[in-house]
Amino acid sequence: MNFKPGWLLLLTISAGVWSVPIERNGGNQEPKEEAPEENMDTGLYYDRYLREVIEVLETDPHFREKLQTANTEDIKVNIHSRSFLLYMLTDVLSSAFVVVKLTWMSCFRRQNGRLSKELDLVSHHVRTRLDELKRQEVSRLRMLLKAKLDSTNTQSLQMDHASLLKQFEHLDPHNQNTFEAKDLELLISTATKDLENYDAERHEEFKRYEMLKEHERREYLKGLDQEKREKEEKRLQELKDKHRQHPKVNVPGSVAQLREVWEETDGLDPQEFNPKTFFKLHDTNEDGVLDEQELEALFTKELEKVYDPKNEEDDMMEMEEERLRMREHVMKNVDTNKDRLVSLEEFLKSTEKKEFNNPKEWETLDTNPVYTEEELQRFEAELRDKEEELKRRAETLRQEQELLKERGKALEAQRREYQQAVLEMSQRQKEQQAADGQPPAGPNGELQFQAQTQKPDDKEAKAPAEPEVQNNLPAEPPQNLPLHT
């Protein structure tokens, strides 16, 4: 079971970037309650488990202290626990889990797992909660496995759960009841590995998005007649030209770009620009480094020169791709140790370079296409193949539907024949019973008895015959009697 988080990550891109307002007038203002941070889903299928483990560990004072006082030589960057938690739970656009690779993994591997062994010293209720989280995660994974087996019609009466759980790399499958140091190492290492190629996947997804947009534009124009096509092509070209007519975009990380932020965002005198002060102002969580989120917040002014969500010609997906390109440019030129963090020392050294004061002109996406015509043709061929495959499947489904309809008609005709045969059989049975003098049968073959009514003529016919009353007078005198004179 392969769970790839990359295809989900593009869906989490938001139109804006969160930034922390800078308070310059300290005064005696009452402390404001911090709004709860919105936890964006990382796209990992074990995202909830990862977050809950980090939150539980954060509640233990001993473990939190060990993280805060970790050796900076081994970890390279001294990241406080609160900052680390912010990295872990922040927007995925900052690729926060790469930071984990340079902090926690350094603790595990460079210190031979000494920090992970501190897990044995955390309080009992923390260990109990971690054990409970792991058992819940194992139970959830078992449900995923069962769902997969059910969907593939795989019959397995004796499933080896321990063997099947080995395909999940973020926990120890051999120990399914307790959370140990190995589980913590596996969880962090797997998360960093899964998000290691996050930026490359985002670039590839954006390229496919742009090619699909161009493909749909061409197909739309093909469906128009000559006059309407020329008119629409002219309108689209005007929108494209309008998008390109924007102010000059400063190179990210250059003195011109930083001075602009200093003046317009920070509200300070551009003549008093100081790199060290600038760094501390925009290290919003005060952890001593600029992470990717803090860097991307610096590019908002430059992006607003090119993109406006109210304009039809401006695509916000392109704006986020532009933001990613700017951040990668700064990291490439400033992040000398490649830890995806900009320390104060690295930042100050970058201001001494020639490129800082005299950078080349920044090329935006409208002047630097992300795909070639050959790539677009291959993409369109791929779309045609998929379309043909969908048509074949649709035709197969249509034929199956027609076959089901024919079978339904045949079954209906057969049902009617059966009903007619039953009626005829019942009628013949009634006629046979009438001929045999038997009482008529009911619909289910039961005998039916009816009260007989007699007609008046029948009553007279069936009445017993009364004896005839003889006449006292003979019909004629007897012959042997003497005649009276």
Side-chain angles (χ1 to χ4, degrees):
M1 182 181 295
N2 296 324
F3 293 87
K4 297 294 184 182
W7 65 278
L8 294 172
L9 295 177
L10 187 62
L11 302 178
T12 61
I13 297 178
S14 57
V17 174
W18 173 85
S19 61
V20 178
I22 301 173
E23 298 289 345
R24 294 182 180 80
N25 299 324
N28 297 322
Q29 298 179 355
E30 296 181 358
K32 298 180 180 180
E33 294 183 1
E34 295 182 358
E37 297 174 1
E38 181 181 359
N39 293 342
M40 303 290 291
D41 195 310
T42 60
L44 300 174
Y45 67 93
Y46 50 90
D47 172 81
R48 180 176 179 179
Y49 174 64
L50 174 63
R51 294 178 185 276
E52 290 179 341
V53 168
I54 297 300
E55 289 172 1
V56 171
L57 288 174
E58 176 70 8
T59 62
D60 185 79
H62 175 80
F63 201 89
R64 184 170 61 247
E65 181 182 359
K66 283 294 181 181
L67 185 63
Q68 290 175 338
T69 58
N71 191 313
T72 57
E73 291 297 325
D74 291 330
I75 303 179
K76 282 193 173 183
V77 183
N78 183 17
I79 296 183
H80 297 287
S81 178
R82 178 177 176 81
S83 301
F84 172 72
L85 184 62
L86 177 61
Y87 287 136
M88 293 295 296
L89 303 180
T90 189
D91 191 332
V92 295
L93 291 178
S94 64
S95 300
F97 284 95
V98 179
V99 178
V100 179
K101 185 176 183 179
L102 298 164
T103 55
W104 285 63
M105 291 305 295
S106 297
C107 296
F108 295 149
R109 296 176 180 175
R110 300 190 180 209
Q111 300 185 32
N112 297 322
R114 287 201 301 269
L115 186 59
S116 64
K117 292 178 181 179
E118 297 294 335
L119 188 65
D120 297 332
L121 302 178
V122 299
S123 60
H124 175 72
H125 76 277
V126 170
R127 289 302 297 267
T128 302
R129 179 57 181 152
L130 291 173
D131 294 344
E132 181 183 354
L133 289 176
K134 182 174 180 180
R135 286 191 292 268
Q136 291 175 357
E137 179 69 2
V138 170
S139 177
R140 186 183 70 88
L141 296 178
R142 286 177 176 174
M143 292 178 62
L144 289 176
L145 289 170
K146 185 179 184 304
K148 180 184 178 183
L149 294 175
D150 291 343
S151 65
T152 56
N153 296 324
T154 303
Q155 302 296 331
S156 178
L157 297 179
Q158 295 181 350
M159 249 188 336
D160 185 1
H161 286 95
S163 178
L164 292 174
L165 286 172
K166 289 181 180 179
Q167 56 193 297
F168 301 105
E169 300 178 351
H170 64 287
L171 49 73
D172 182 9
H174 301 291
N175 177 15
Q176 302 179 17
N177 296 316
T178 60
F179 188 95
E180 305 296 341
K182 184 176 181 180
D183 291 293
L184 185 57
E185 295 184 23
L186 290 173
L187 179 60
I188 301 301
S189 62
T190 304
T192 55
K193 182 181 66 174
D194 288 343
L195 294 177
E196 194 172 20
N197 298 321
Y198 168 65
D199 288 347
E201 291 175 354
R202 277 187 59 190
H203 286 309
E204 186 62 28
E205 289 294 333
F206 176 76
K207 179 188 291 188
R208 295 180 67 84
Y209 166 78
E210 286 289 289
M211 290 190 293
L212 179 61
K213 189 168 67 172
E214 175 62 18
H215 169 73
E216 291 178 346
R217 186 190 71 85
R218 295 183 181 185
E219 292 297 316
Y220 165 68
L221 293 175
K222 286 180 182 179
L224 303 177
D225 56 40
Q226 182 68 22
E227 182 179 356
K228 290 183 178 180
R229 185 185 306 113
E230 292 178 355
K231 183 177 180 180
E232 187 65 13
E233 286 179 344
K234 181 179 179 181
R235 187 184 74 85
L236 294 176
Q237 186 61 42
E238 289 175 353
L239 289 176
K240 186 180 294 185
D241 294 339
K242 181 181 177 182
H243 173 70
R244 291 176 177 175
Q245 295 173 359
H246 54 73
K248 177 184 176 182
V249 178
N250 295 315
V251 175
S254 65
V255 63
Q257 189 259 321
L258 299 184
R259 283 182 182 273
E260 191 172 87
V261 174
W262 174 277
E263 180 179 3
E264 298 185 13
T265 303
D266 302 336
L268 301 176
D269 187 351
Q271 302 299 325
E272 298 179 358
F273 174 75
N274 183 280
K276 186 174 182 179
T277 304
F278 181 91
F279 182 94
K280 292 184 177 181
L281 281 174
H282 293 277
D283 178 16
T284 55
N285 54 13
E286 300 180 357
D287 59 358
V289 293
L290 296 180
D291 57 40
E292 295 175 346
Q293 182 183 11
E294 291 167 335
L295 283 176
E296 290 181 354
L298 301 178
F299 311 141
T300 302
K301 283 294 180 181
E302 301 302 320
L303 295 170
E304 288 176 350
K305 297 177 181 179
V306 186
Y307 300 96
D308 186 344
K310 298 179 181 179
N311 295 338
E312 179 185 358
E313 67 274 9
D314 297 338
D315 190 336
M316 295 301 102
M317 290 289 289
E318 293 180 358
M319 184 184 74
E320 293 306 321
E321 176 68 11
E322 197 79 70
R323 191 191 306 275
L324 175 59
R325 293 175 65 242
M326 289 180 172
R327 188 245 294 165
E328 289 180 333
H329 174 81
V330 173
M331 284 295 187
K332 180 180 179 181
N333 293 278
V334 180
D335 181 23
T336 56
N337 62 359
K338 307 303 177 184
D339 62 356
R340 305 288 289 247
L341 297 168
V342 176
S343 64
L344 176 60
E345 181 182 0
E346 290 173 331
F347 182 77
L348 295 178
K349 285 185 177 180
S350 68
T351 62
E352 300 174 358
K353 296 181 180 179
K354 179 181 179 181
E355 294 81 5
F356 179 74
N357 294 304
N358 298 303
K360 296 180 180 179
E361 184 177 356
W362 178 254
E363 295 182 355
T364 55
L365 286 171
D366 50 22
T367 60
N368 188 19
V370 296
Y371 61 87
T372 63
E373 185 63 27
E374 293 180 356
E375 289 176 325
L376 178 60
Q377 292 177 1
R378 288 196 297 268
F379 177 75
E380 290 181 329
E382 180 183 344
L383 288 180
R384 287 193 295 269
D385 293 342
K386 290 182 178 179
E387 185 177 359
E388 291 298 326
E389 178 63 23
L390 290 176
K391 287 182 179 180
R392 286 192 294 269
R393 291 183 181 180
E395 179 62 22
T396 302
L397 291 175
R398 188 191 64 79
Q399 294 176 359
E400 292 178 354
Q401 185 180 18
E402 292 295 330
L403 181 60
L404 289 175
K405 287 182 179 180
E406 294 298 327
R407 289 180 179 177
K409 292 179 180 180
L411 290 174
E412 180 63 20
Q414 188 177 11
R415 184 182 67 82
R416 292 177 180 176
E417 291 179 1
Y418 287 159
Q419 288 180 344
Q420 185 64 28
V422 170
L423 291 175
E424 293 177 357
M425 184 181 298
S426 176
Q427 184 65 28
R428 288 195 298 268
Q429 185 178 7
K430 290 180 180 180
E431 293 175 356
Q432 182 66 30
Q433 290 174 350
D436 296 343
Q438 298 178 359
N444 297 324
E446 69 275 8
L447 295 179
Q448 291 184 344
F449 297 91
Q450 298 179 355
Q452 296 183 356
T453 59
Q454 297 179 351
K455 297 180 180 180
D457 295 341
D458 295 341
K459 183 176 180 181
E460 294 178 358
K462 293 181 181 180
E466 296 182 359
E468 295 182 359
V469 179
Q470 297 182 357
N471 192 356
N472 294 327
L473 295 177
E476 57 182 9
Q479 297 298 329
N480 54 354
L481 291 180
L483 294 173
H484 296 279
T485 59

Short mmCIF file of all heavy atoms in Angstrom, two decimals, residues 381-421:
data_model
loop_
_atom_site.label_atom_id
_atom_site.label_comp_id
_atom_site.label_asym_id
_atom_site.label_seq_id
_atom_site.Cartn_x
_atom_site.Cartn_y
_atom_site.Cartn_z
N ALA A 381 -1.04 14.46 -26.15
CA ALA A 381 -1.15 13.05 -26.57
C ALA A 381 -1.58 12.17 -25.40
O ALA A 381 -2.38 11.24 -25.55
CB ALA A 381 0.18 12.58 -27.16
N GLU A 382 -1.03 12.46 -24.24
CA GLU A 382 -1.41 11.72 -23.03
C GLU A 382 -2.88 11.94 -22.71
O GLU A 382 -3.60 10.98 -22.35
CB GLU A 382 -0.54 12.17 -21.87
CG GLU A 382 -0.85 11.46 -20.55
CD GLU A 382 0.00 11.99 -19.41
OE1 GLU A 382 1.02 12.68 -19.68
OE2 GLU A 382 -0.37 11.73 -18.24
N LEU A 383 -3.35 13.17 -22.87
CA LEU A 383 -4.77 13.46 -22.63
C LEU A 383 -5.66 12.72 -23.63
O LEU A 383 -6.72 12.20 -23.26
CB LEU A 383 -5.03 14.96 -22.72
CG LEU A 383 -4.49 15.84 -21.59
CD1 LEU A 383 -4.84 17.30 -21.86
CD2 LEU A 383 -5.04 15.42 -20.25
N ARG A 384 -5.21 12.68 -24.90
CA ARG A 384 -6.00 11.97 -25.91
C ARG A 384 -6.08 10.48 -25.59
O ARG A 384 -7.15 9.86 -25.74
CB ARG A 384 -5.41 12.19 -27.30
CG ARG A 384 -5.65 13.58 -27.85
CD ARG A 384 -5.31 13.64 -29.33
NE ARG A 384 -3.88 13.42 -29.56
CZ ARG A 384 -2.97 14.37 -29.61
NH1 ARG A 384 -3.35 15.65 -29.43
NH2 ARG A 384 -1.70 14.10 -29.84
N ASP A 385 -4.97 9.91 -25.16
CA ASP A 385 -4.98 8.50 -24.79
C ASP A 385 -5.94 8.23 -23.64
O ASP A 385 -6.69 7.25 -23.65
CB ASP A 385 -3.57 8.04 -24.43
CG ASP A 385 -2.63 8.05 -25.63
OD1 ASP A 385 -3.13 8.06 -26.77
OD2 ASP A 385 -1.39 8.07 -25.42
N LYS A 386 -5.90 9.11 -22.65
CA LYS A 386 -6.80 8.94 -21.52
C LYS A 386 -8.25 9.13 -21.94
O LYS A 386 -9.15 8.42 -21.45
CB LYS A 386 -6.44 9.94 -20.42
CG LYS A 386 -5.12 9.64 -19.72
CD LYS A 386 -4.85 10.63 -18.60
CE LYS A 386 -3.56 10.29 -17.88
NZ LYS A 386 -3.26 11.26 -16.79
N GLU A 387 -8.47 10.08 -22.87
CA GLU A 387 -9.83 10.31 -23.35
C GLU A 387 -10.35 9.10 -24.10
O GLU A 387 -11.51 8.70 -23.95
CB GLU A 387 -9.86 11.55 -24.24
CG GLU A 387 -11.24 11.96 -24.69
CD GLU A 387 -11.24 13.23 -25.51
OE1 GLU A 387 -10.15 13.80 -25.70
OE2 GLU A 387 -12.32 13.64 -25.97
N GLU A 388 -9.47 8.50 -24.93
CA GLU A 388 -9.87 7.29 -25.66
C GLU A 388 -10.17 6.15 -24.70
O GLU A 388 -11.12 5.39 -24.89
CB GLU A 388 -8.77 6.89 -26.65
CG GLU A 388 -8.60 7.84 -27.82
CD GLU A 388 -9.85 7.90 -28.68
OE1 GLU A 388 -10.53 6.87 -28.82
OE2 GLU A 388 -10.14 8.99 -29.22
N GLU A 389 -9.36 6.03 -23.68
CA GLU A 389 -9.59 4.99 -22.69
C GLU A 389 -10.92 5.20 -21.97
O GLU A 389 -11.69 4.25 -21.75
CB GLU A 389 -8.44 4.98 -21.67
CG GLU A 389 -8.59 3.95 -20.55
CD GLU A 389 -8.58 2.53 -21.04
OE1 GLU A 389 -8.04 2.27 -22.15
OE2 GLU A 389 -9.12 1.66 -20.34
N LEU A 390 -11.22 6.46 -21.65
CA LEU A 390 -12.50 6.76 -21.02
C LEU A 390 -13.66 6.46 -21.96
O LEU A 390 -14.72 5.97 -21.52
CB LEU A 390 -12.54 8.22 -20.58
CG LEU A 390 -11.63 8.60 -19.40
CD1 LEU A 390 -11.69 10.10 -19.14
CD2 LEU A 390 -12.03 7.85 -18.14
N LYS A 391 -13.48 6.75 -23.26
CA LYS A 391 -14.54 6.45 -24.22
C LYS A 391 -14.76 4.94 -24.32
O LYS A 391 -15.91 4.49 -24.41
CB LYS A 391 -14.17 7.02 -25.59
CG LYS A 391 -14.27 8.53 -25.69
CD LYS A 391 -13.93 9.01 -27.09
CE LYS A 391 -14.05 10.52 -27.19
NZ LYS A 391 -13.71 11.02 -28.56
N ARG A 392 -13.66 4.17 -24.31
CA ARG A 392 -13.81 2.71 -24.38
C ARG A 392 -14.54 2.19 -23.14
O ARG A 392 -15.41 1.32 -23.25
CB ARG A 392 -12.43 2.05 -24.51
CG ARG A 392 -11.81 2.21 -25.88
CD ARG A 392 -10.61 1.29 -26.03
NE ARG A 392 -9.52 1.67 -25.15
CZ ARG A 392 -8.54 2.49 -25.48
NH1 ARG A 392 -8.53 3.05 -26.69
NH2 ARG A 392 -7.58 2.79 -24.63
N ARG A 393 -14.18 2.73 -22.00
CA ARG A 393 -14.86 2.31 -20.78
C ARG A 393 -16.33 2.71 -20.81
O ARG A 393 -17.20 1.93 -20.38
CB ARG A 393 -14.18 2.93 -19.56
CG ARG A 393 -12.78 2.38 -19.29
CD ARG A 393 -12.20 3.00 -18.03
NE ARG A 393 -10.86 2.51 -17.76
CZ ARG A 393 -10.12 2.90 -16.72
NH1 ARG A 393 -10.62 3.78 -15.85
NH2 ARG A 393 -8.91 2.42 -16.54
N ALA A 394 -16.60 3.92 -21.33
CA ALA A 394 -17.99 4.37 -21.42
C ALA A 394 -18.79 3.48 -22.37
O ALA A 394 -19.95 3.14 -22.09
CB ALA A 394 -18.03 5.83 -21.88
N GLU A 395 -18.18 3.09 -23.50
CA GLU A 395 -18.85 2.20 -24.43
C GLU A 395 -19.10 0.84 -23.82
O GLU A 395 -20.18 0.25 -24.00
CB GLU A 395 -18.01 2.07 -25.71
CG GLU A 395 -18.60 1.16 -26.77
CD GLU A 395 -19.95 1.65 -27.28
OE1 GLU A 395 -20.23 2.86 -27.16
OE2 GLU A 395 -20.70 0.82 -27.81
N THR A 396 -18.12 0.35 -23.09
CA THR A 396 -18.30 -0.94 -22.40
C THR A 396 -19.43 -0.87 -21.40
O THR A 396 -20.28 -1.77 -21.32
CB THR A 396 -17.00 -1.35 -21.70
OG1 THR A 396 -15.94 -1.44 -22.66
CG2 THR A 396 -17.16 -2.70 -21.01
N LEU A 397 -19.48 0.20 -20.66
CA LEU A 397 -20.57 0.38 -19.69
C LEU A 397 -21.92 0.52 -20.39
O LEU A 397 -22.93 -0.01 -19.89
CB LEU A 397 -20.29 1.61 -18.82
CG LEU A 397 -19.11 1.51 -17.85
CD1 LEU A 397 -18.90 2.84 -17.15
CD2 LEU A 397 -19.34 0.42 -16.81
N ARG A 398 -21.94 1.19 -21.54
CA ARG A 398 -23.20 1.33 -22.28
C ARG A 398 -23.70 -0.02 -22.77
O ARG A 398 -24.90 -0.33 -22.67
CB ARG A 398 -23.01 2.28 -23.46
CG ARG A 398 -24.30 2.64 -24.18
CD ARG A 398 -24.02 3.35 -25.49
NE ARG A 398 -23.32 2.46 -26.41
CZ ARG A 398 -23.93 1.50 -27.11
NH1 ARG A 398 -25.25 1.32 -27.01
NH2 ARG A 398 -23.25 0.74 -27.94
N GLN A 399 -22.75 -0.83 -23.29
CA GLN A 399 -23.14 -2.16 -23.75
C GLN A 399 -23.64 -3.02 -22.60
O GLN A 399 -24.62 -3.76 -22.75
CB GLN A 399 -21.95 -2.83 -24.45
CG GLN A 399 -21.53 -2.14 -25.74
CD GLN A 399 -20.29 -2.76 -26.36
OE1 GLN A 399 -19.72 -3.71 -25.81
NE2 GLN A 399 -19.87 -2.25 -27.50
N GLU A 400 -22.96 -2.94 -21.48
CA GLU A 400 -23.41 -3.70 -20.31
C GLU A 400 -24.79 -3.23 -19.86
O GLU A 400 -25.63 -4.05 -19.45
CB GLU A 400 -22.40 -3.55 -19.18
CG GLU A 400 -21.07 -4.23 -19.44
CD GLU A 400 -20.08 -4.02 -18.31
OE1 GLU A 400 -20.42 -3.26 -17.37
OE2 GLU A 400 -18.98 -4.62 -18.36
N GLN A 401 -25.04 -1.92 -19.96
CA GLN A 401 -26.34 -1.39 -19.58
C GLN A 401 -27.42 -1.91 -20.52
O GLN A 401 -28.52 -2.29 -20.08
CB GLN A 401 -26.31 0.13 -19.60
CG GLN A 401 -27.59 0.78 -19.11
CD GLN A 401 -27.52 2.30 -19.14
OE1 GLN A 401 -26.67 2.86 -19.82
NE2 GLN A 401 -28.40 2.94 -18.40
N GLU A 402 -27.12 -1.92 -21.84
CA GLU A 402 -28.08 -2.45 -22.80
C GLU A 402 -28.35 -3.93 -22.54
O GLU A 402 -29.49 -4.39 -22.63
CB GLU A 402 -27.56 -2.25 -24.22
CG GLU A 402 -27.48 -0.79 -24.67
CD GLU A 402 -28.87 -0.17 -24.75
OE1 GLU A 402 -29.83 -0.90 -25.04
OE2 GLU A 402 -28.98 1.05 -24.52
N LEU A 403 -27.30 -4.67 -22.24
CA LEU A 403 -27.47 -6.10 -21.95
C LEU A 403 -28.33 -6.30 -20.71
O LEU A 403 -29.20 -7.20 -20.69
CB LEU A 403 -26.09 -6.75 -21.75
CG LEU A 403 -26.08 -8.26 -21.47
CD1 LEU A 403 -26.73 -9.01 -22.62
CD2 LEU A 403 -24.65 -8.75 -21.25
N LEU A 404 -28.12 -5.48 -19.71
CA LEU A 404 -28.94 -5.59 -18.50
C LEU A 404 -30.40 -5.25 -18.80
O LEU A 404 -31.32 -5.87 -18.25
CB LEU A 404 -28.40 -4.65 -17.42
CG LEU A 404 -27.06 -5.07 -16.79
CD1 LEU A 404 -26.58 -3.99 -15.83
CD2 LEU A 404 -27.20 -6.39 -16.05
N LYS A 405 -30.62 -4.27 -19.69
CA LYS A 405 -32.00 -3.93 -20.06
C LYS A 405 -32.66 -5.10 -20.77
O LYS A 405 -33.83 -5.42 -20.51
CB LYS A 405 -32.01 -2.70 -20.96
CG LYS A 405 -31.71 -1.39 -20.23
CD LYS A 405 -31.79 -0.21 -21.19
CE LYS A 405 -31.52 1.10 -20.46
NZ LYS A 405 -31.60 2.27 -21.39
N GLU A 406 -31.93 -5.74 -21.73
CA GLU A 406 -32.48 -6.89 -22.43
C GLU A 406 -32.79 -8.03 -21.48
O GLU A 406 -33.83 -8.69 -21.58
CB GLU A 406 -31.51 -7.35 -23.53
CG GLU A 406 -31.31 -6.35 -24.66
CD GLU A 406 -32.61 -6.10 -25.42
OE1 GLU A 406 -33.42 -7.04 -25.53
OE2 GLU A 406 -32.80 -4.96 -25.88
N ARG A 407 -31.88 -8.27 -20.55
CA ARG A 407 -32.12 -9.32 -19.56
C ARG A 407 -33.33 -8.97 -18.70
O ARG A 407 -34.12 -9.85 -18.33
CB ARG A 407 -30.89 -9.51 -18.69
CG ARG A 407 -29.72 -10.15 -19.42
CD ARG A 407 -28.53 -10.29 -18.49
NE ARG A 407 -27.40 -10.93 -19.17
CZ ARG A 407 -26.21 -11.13 -18.62
NH1 ARG A 407 -25.99 -10.73 -17.35
NH2 ARG A 407 -25.25 -11.70 -19.30
N GLY A 408 -33.47 -7.70 -18.36
CA GLY A 408 -34.62 -7.28 -17.58
C GLY A 408 -35.93 -7.51 -18.33
O GLY A 408 -36.92 -7.98 -17.75
N LYS A 409 -35.92 -7.20 -19.65
CA LYS A 409 -37.12 -7.44 -20.45
C LYS A 409 -37.43 -8.92 -20.52
O LYS A 409 -38.62 -9.33 -20.45
CB LYS A 409 -36.92 -6.86 -21.85
CG LYS A 409 -36.84 -5.34 -21.89
CD LYS A 409 -36.61 -4.85 -23.32
CE LYS A 409 -36.53 -3.33 -23.36
NZ LYS A 409 -36.30 -2.84 -24.76
N ALA A 410 -36.41 -9.75 -20.72
CA ALA A 410 -36.63 -11.20 -20.79
C ALA A 410 -37.19 -11.73 -19.48
O ALA A 410 -38.10 -12.56 -19.47
CB ALA A 410 -35.32 -11.90 -21.14
N LEU A 411 -36.65 -11.24 -18.37
CA LEU A 411 -37.16 -11.68 -17.07
C LEU A 411 -38.60 -11.24 -16.86
O LEU A 411 -39.42 -11.98 -16.28
CB LEU A 411 -36.27 -11.13 -15.96
CG LEU A 411 -34.86 -11.74 -15.86
CD1 LEU A 411 -34.04 -10.99 -14.81
CD2 LEU A 411 -34.94 -13.21 -15.50
N GLU A 412 -38.93 -10.04 -17.32
CA GLU A 412 -40.30 -9.56 -17.19
C GLU A 412 -41.26 -10.41 -18.02
O GLU A 412 -42.36 -10.77 -17.58
CB GLU A 412 -40.37 -8.10 -17.62
CG GLU A 412 -41.75 -7.47 -17.54
CD GLU A 412 -42.28 -7.41 -16.13
OE1 GLU A 412 -41.48 -7.49 -15.17
OE2 GLU A 412 -43.52 -7.28 -15.97
N ALA A 413 -40.85 -10.75 -19.28
CA ALA A 413 -41.69 -11.60 -20.12
C ALA A 413 -41.86 -12.99 -19.50
O ALA A 413 -42.96 -13.57 -19.52
CB ALA A 413 -41.08 -11.71 -21.51
N GLN A 414 -40.78 -13.51 -18.94
CA GLN A 414 -40.86 -14.82 -18.30
C GLN A 414 -41.78 -14.77 -17.08
O GLN A 414 -42.55 -15.71 -16.83
CB GLN A 414 -39.46 -15.27 -17.89
CG GLN A 414 -39.38 -16.70 -17.39
CD GLN A 414 -37.95 -17.10 -17.07
OE1 GLN A 414 -37.05 -16.26 -17.03
NE2 GLN A 414 -37.74 -18.38 -16.86
N ARG A 415 -41.73 -13.69 -16.34
CA ARG A 415 -42.60 -13.56 -15.18
C ARG A 415 -44.06 -13.55 -15.61
O ARG A 415 -44.93 -14.17 -14.97
CB ARG A 415 -42.26 -12.27 -14.43
CG ARG A 415 -43.05 -12.06 -13.14
CD ARG A 415 -42.68 -10.74 -12.50
NE ARG A 415 -43.12 -9.61 -13.32
CZ ARG A 415 -44.36 -9.13 -13.30
NH1 ARG A 415 -45.29 -9.68 -12.53
NH2 ARG A 415 -44.68 -8.10 -14.05
N ARG A 416 -44.36 -12.86 -16.70
CA ARG A 416 -45.73 -12.82 -17.18
C ARG A 416 -46.19 -14.19 -17.65
O ARG A 416 -47.35 -14.58 -17.44
CB ARG A 416 -45.85 -11.80 -18.31
CG ARG A 416 -45.66 -10.35 -17.85
CD ARG A 416 -45.71 -9.39 -19.02
NE ARG A 416 -45.54 -8.01 -18.57
CZ ARG A 416 -45.46 -6.96 -19.40
NH1 ARG A 416 -45.57 -7.16 -20.73
NH2 ARG A 416 -45.30 -5.75 -18.92
N GLU A 417 -45.30 -14.92 -18.32
CA GLU A 417 -45.65 -16.27 -18.75
C GLU A 417 -45.97 -17.15 -17.55
O GLU A 417 -46.93 -17.94 -17.58
CB GLU A 417 -44.50 -16.87 -19.57
CG GLU A 417 -44.30 -16.21 -20.92
CD GLU A 417 -43.13 -16.82 -21.68
OE1 GLU A 417 -42.51 -17.76 -21.13
OE2 GLU A 417 -42.84 -16.37 -22.80
N TYR A 418 -45.17 -17.04 -16.52
CA TYR A 418 -45.42 -17.82 -15.32
C TYR A 418 -46.77 -17.45 -14.70
O TYR A 418 -47.54 -18.32 -14.26
CB TYR A 418 -44.31 -17.59 -14.30
CG TYR A 418 -43.00 -18.26 -14.66
CD1 TYR A 418 -41.79 -17.83 -14.11
CD2 TYR A 418 -42.97 -19.34 -15.55
CE1 TYR A 418 -40.60 -18.43 -14.44
CE2 TYR A 418 -41.77 -19.95 -15.89
CZ TYR A 418 -40.59 -19.50 -15.33
OH TYR A 418 -39.42 -20.10 -15.66
N GLN A 419 -47.09 -16.20 -14.64
CA GLN A 419 -48.37 -15.77 -14.10
C GLN A 419 -49.53 -16.32 -14.92
O GLN A 419 -50.55 -16.79 -14.38
CB GLN A 419 -48.43 -14.24 -14.05
CG GLN A 419 -47.55 -13.61 -12.99
CD GLN A 419 -47.65 -12.10 -12.99
OE1 GLN A 419 -48.13 -11.51 -13.95
NE2 GLN A 419 -47.19 -11.49 -11.91
N GLN A 420 -49.41 -16.27 -16.27
CA GLN A 420 -50.46 -16.80 -17.13
C GLN A 420 -50.63 -18.30 -16.95
O GLN A 420 -51.75 -18.82 -16.91
CB GLN A 420 -50.13 -16.46 -18.60
CG GLN A 420 -51.21 -16.85 -19.59
CD GLN A 420 -52.50 -16.08 -19.37
OE1 GLN A 420 -52.46 -14.95 -18.86
NE2 GLN A 420 -53.63 -16.67 -19.73
N ALA A 421 -49.49 -19.00 -16.85
CA ALA A 421 -49.56 -20.45 -16.65
C ALA A 421 -50.24 -20.80 -15.33
O ALA A 421 -51.03 -21.75 -15.25
CB ALA A 421 -48.15 -21.04 -16.70
#
